Amino acid sequence: MRATPLAARAHILAAAVCATLCTLPALRPGAGIAWTTVGLLSALYLACELPGRCRLLGSSVPISAGSFFPLLLAAAFLLPPAAAALVAIPGSLVGRVEHAPATARRIWRAAQLALTVWAASYVHGLLGGGATLGGPGPERLPDFPYALLPACAAALAFSLVLTALDGSILATAERLPLRHAWSGLLPRSLGPHLVHGLAGLMMAVLWRSSYGPVSALFVLLPMYISCWIFSQYHREHAAHRATIRALVQAVDIKDTYTRGHSERVGRASVLIARELGMAEDRLEVLRFAGILHDVGKLCVPTRVLRKDGPLTPEERRVIELHPEYGHEIVRGIGFLGEARAAILHHHERLDGSGYPYGLSGREIPEFARVVAVADAFDAMTSTRSYRRGRPVPAAVEELKRCAGTQFDPQMVRALARGLDRHGWSTASKVVTADETVPVPVPRVGGGAGAGAGDVRRPVRPLSPDGLEPAAGRAVSGDGLDVAAGRAVAADGYGLAPGAQSSVDRTR
């Protein structure tokens, strides 16, 4: 508790006192509480929470109390408010906690759920929900569909109180502004809580029937299994994101000139895809494609990536192998799907002069055409150590100029629409090979120009080809200026005289 802020400790204490006061009526003599039902429900909830404490099972079972909310809502339907609140306390106090301070978190969770279940039971009883559950024998059937009304109202009260308490602890413990602490909590939780309410109603009806308490297992066991499967899915998804993050960090460490570029390309790729109306299940894969498009740089010698002078023909050939290197690195990562083709082909050009295979037009995979536009756009608008980022409108105009020869016009138009709708937040740092220098850069709307803020004197004023960046020149996808009038390179570091206008060095 000592590590908890004072305001949060006071808040937890106040919630614990309120929860205690809510449960006191059940402890009074003659309260007429069905203690058998209280004991069985409490034992079931406790049994659901205990596997999370087991070292053998703890990492593979649902640890969120949301997995067991149907049981708590069944208690709210079957018991008076004070008794229903008691059901939540034992399991909450022994449940698994992943982050310190464990004691404070357990006390808060017990108080929070006790208050939440009390409110749900109170609303359910206020609407006469207990009489709608039926009882043993054919003469006392459940009163459907009216039974749905108090059950849904109770689930709504459950959701309102729970999210209000979640927001309040965030505001006190994390010192978040109130509008941010509660932002989005209710919309995200209301639907699941209504589903939990219907499952809890089914459990309560079966509990009151001639089948008795054993029938609750018919509802609880499938719910627990489904929650376990869902939690396993989220763990796998988290592992995917961790894999991507590790690869991107490795690239950023090796090529510090373009740190943060990969994440922005992923974001711009999704912006384009949404304007194209791509299915949601493809958006995440496309984001991975944008983030990992330059992962092949891990196989390019660092001395080549960070070379200050012009590249030799041999070094250019090494650079141009990075899409194939990247494809080999991610070949065995099954969840990337279409992203692998984007990593291999994001330097192809519509006119067939790109690399590694010289594909043209629709031969180039759709994801690769999206990433190519996002790649060049971020490079032009990002502030680097040797130049300021270009304004968003200027970058879009350059992309439009190169549409049809280097970039897919459809993707360029989609990016322009997305920027008009959402704007773009440019890079917030100047990154050099040796240090990171903060730069204030404003958020740029789709129709307004953007100037870089007060940029400190560049640590490295020359581009890697040794030429002074000239104002107004096109910027390659790698962020380096190319000769005036030449197309935007998908990753170029500055083109040597006589070189084609496609990519010459990787970002």
Side-chain angles (χ1 to χ4, degrees):
M1 288 286 285
R2 291 180 180 178
T4 309
L6 182 60
R9 278 185 279 172
H11 190 59
I12 293 171
L13 180 61
V17 171
C18 290
T20 302
L21 293 175
C22 287
T23 59
L24 285 179
L27 304 177
R28 294 173 182 169
I33 302 298
W35 287 109
T36 301
T37 301
V38 173
L40 288 173
L41 288 170
S42 298
L44 277 174
Y45 182 57
L46 181 64
C48 289
E49 290 283 1
L50 280 176
R53 302 290 298 275
C54 177
R55 292 184 178 181
L56 296 177
L57 301 176
S59 61
S60 62
V61 298
I63 63 171
S64 170
S67 309
F68 321 118
F69 282 167
L71 196 153
L72 296 180
L73 283 162
F77 301 154
L78 291 167
L79 297 167
L86 287 172
V87 172
I89 295 175
S92 301
L93 290 176
V94 303
R96 180 179 173 187
V97 175
E98 288 197 317
H99 305 288
T103 301
R105 290 178 182 274
R106 288 195 177 100
I107 293 173
W108 166 254
R109 193 63 175 164
Q112 180 189 37
L113 289 180
L115 291 171
T116 302
V117 175
W118 184 94
S121 180
Y122 180 81
V123 170
H124 189 258
L126 197 65
L127 296 176
T132 67
L133 299 178
E139 69 281 355
R140 297 186 59 192
L141 296 176
D143 186 7
F144 284 110
Y146 179 75
L148 296 174
L149 176 60
C152 290
L156 176 60
F158 186 94
S159 186
L160 287 171
V161 174
L162 188 64
T163 54
L165 291 171
D166 278 338
S168 67
I169 195 63
L170 286 174
T172 54
E174 305 293 337
R175 297 183 176 89
L176 294 178
L178 290 178
R179 68 180 184 278
H180 293 156
W182 277 296
S183 177
L185 286 178
L186 184 60
R188 288 196 301 268
S189 61
L190 184 57
H193 289 161
L194 287 174
V195 174
H196 293 153
L198 295 177
L201 175 63
M202 187 188 307
M203 188 182 300
V205 168
L206 290 173
W207 192 288
R208 283 276 189 91
S209 71
S210 56
Y211 296 102
V214 177
S215 62
L217 297 177
F218 292 112
V219 178
L220 186 60
L221 189 58
M223 284 292 296
Y224 187 84
I225 292 173
S226 65
C227 288
W228 179 81
I229 294 172
F230 195 62
S231 70
Q232 293 301 104
Y233 165 77
H234 277 284
R235 289 179 190 278
E236 182 179 357
H237 199 60
H240 292 171
R241 292 196 300 270
T243 301
I244 301 299
R245 191 181 309 115
L247 288 172
V248 171
Q249 287 175 345
V251 174
D252 284 348
I253 289 171
K254 184 160 187 175
D255 188 4
T256 51
Y257 277 109
T258 56
R259 187 177 299 151
H261 165 71
S262 298
E263 288 83 354
R264 294 191 298 273
V265 172
R267 182 157 54 91
S269 298
V270 171
L271 184 68
I272 295 171
R274 289 192 187 280
E275 292 299 320
L276 295 174
M278 280 192 188
E280 286 293 326
D281 59 342
R282 299 182 71 201
L283 291 183
E284 183 75 355
V285 179
L286 178 58
R287 188 175 72 87
F288 288 158
I291 290 174
L292 292 175
H293 71 285
D294 274 342
V295 69
K297 288 165 61 176
L298 291 173
C299 299
V300 176
T302 304
R303 61 175 178 79
V304 177
L305 290 176
R306 299 187 183 183
K307 184 176 180 181
D308 288 333
L311 297 176
T312 66
E314 182 181 353
E315 289 169 338
R316 289 182 183 275
R317 286 193 292 271
V318 170
I319 285 288
E320 292 182 358
L321 288 173
H322 83 274
E324 294 173 278
Y325 289 149
H327 185 260
E328 287 301 313
I329 289 173
V330 302
R331 181 190 293 274
I333 304 179
F335 67 85
L336 288 178
E338 290 181 86
R340 293 192 291 271
I343 292 169
L344 179 61
H345 297 294
H346 71 280
H347 285 308
E348 306 284 3
R349 290 172 47 118
L350 237 61
D351 59 8
S353 62
Y355 65 87
Y357 300 132
L359 302 183
S360 62
R362 296 290 170 174
E363 293 178 343
I364 305 171
E366 183 181 28
F367 276 17
R369 286 179 273 135
V370 171
V371 172
V373 172
D375 191 15
F377 170 76
D378 178 71
M380 285 189 283
T381 55
S382 296
T383 296
R384 301 286 169 81
S385 62
Y386 41 82
R387 61 152 177 82
R388 296 185 179 192
R390 300 184 67 179
V392 166
V396 173
E397 285 304 312
E398 182 66 20
L399 290 171
K400 288 179 178 178
R401 187 177 69 81
C402 301
T405 56
Q406 184 170 352
F407 303 115
D408 188 330
Q410 182 184 18
M411 308 309 174
V412 174
R413 289 193 297 268
L415 176 64
R417 290 196 305 270
L419 294 172
D420 286 338
R421 193 189 309 270
H422 303 290
W424 181 254
S425 180
T426 55
S428 60
K429 294 181 178 180
V430 173
V431 178
T432 71
D434 304 307
E435 62 179 7
T436 299
V437 184
V439 178
V441 181
R443 186 180 186 275
V444 182
D454 242 353
V455 184
R456 301 181 188 177
R457 180 175 298 276
V459 176
R460 298 194 177 191
L462 299 181
S463 64
D465 61 2
L467 301 177
E468 182 73 23
R473 292 185 179 179
V475 178
S476 71
D478 198 13
L480 303 186
D481 298 273
V482 297
R486 294 183 180 178
V488 178
D491 71 345
Y493 269 49
L495 303 177
Q500 62 179 7
S501 59
S502 63
V503 188
D504 285 281
R505 278 179 74 174
T506 163
R507 234 178 326 267

